[in-house]
Amino acid sequence: AEENKQEKLYLRGCDRRGRPAIYMKPRNETSTDASGPVKHMAYCMERAVAFLERQEAAGKLVGDINDPLSRKVVLLISFDGIGLSNLPPMSVARECILM
């Protein structure tokens, strides 16, 4: 719940092809341990996959199952306001990339 309040990572809407969009704002990162942000990233990814499955079931995805662009998630990262003082810890960045 605390991770979601900081609006550093959230799922909001979709692109023109019907793919879910995850927004990331690393400047809002305040955690010092990797467990909270990584769990929140996993939660957002699970929600995005569920949204993608609902879009597919409703026939709202552009393309078919063989289209390499159809079953993807869009990740938008805003680096506005980021600096050395508010960079996420390297452990958090590493875990999120490996996910």
Side-chain angles (χ1 to χ4, degrees):
E2 188 62 35
E3 298 290 329
N4 210 20
K5 284 184 199 175
Q6 297 172 359
E7 293 185 351
K8 54 188 163 188
L9 181 70
Y10 53 92
L11 179 69
R12 184 83 65 226
C14 57
D15 70 353
R16 291 180 184 169
R17 297 180 66 95
R19 299 172 298 194
I22 296 178
Y23 294 85
M24 182 182 275
K25 296 179 181 177
R27 72 174 178 261
N28 296 341
E29 181 61 63
T30 57
S31 300
T32 54
D33 68 2
S35 65
V38 172
K39 286 179 184 177
H40 187 61
M41 175 70 131
Y43 169 73
C44 286
M45 290 298 289
E46 287 173 356
R47 286 188 55 217
V49 169
F51 178 84
L52 189 62
E53 289 171 350
R54 284 193 307 272
Q55 290 287 88
E56 188 174 33
K60 294 182 180 179
L61 280 181
V62 176
D64 63 3
I65 194 70
N66 296 322
D67 182 3
L69 297 176
S70 66
R71 294 187 52 84
K72 303 284 184 191
V73 173
V74 177
L75 178 62
L76 301 163
I77 304 173
S78 171
F79 290 105
D80 185 43
I82 194 100
L84 292 176
S85 62
N86 58 355
L87 278 175
M90 189 55 83
S91 61
V92 172
R94 185 181 311 114
E95 288 295 320
C96 288
I97 288 171
L98 293 175
M99 189 179 301

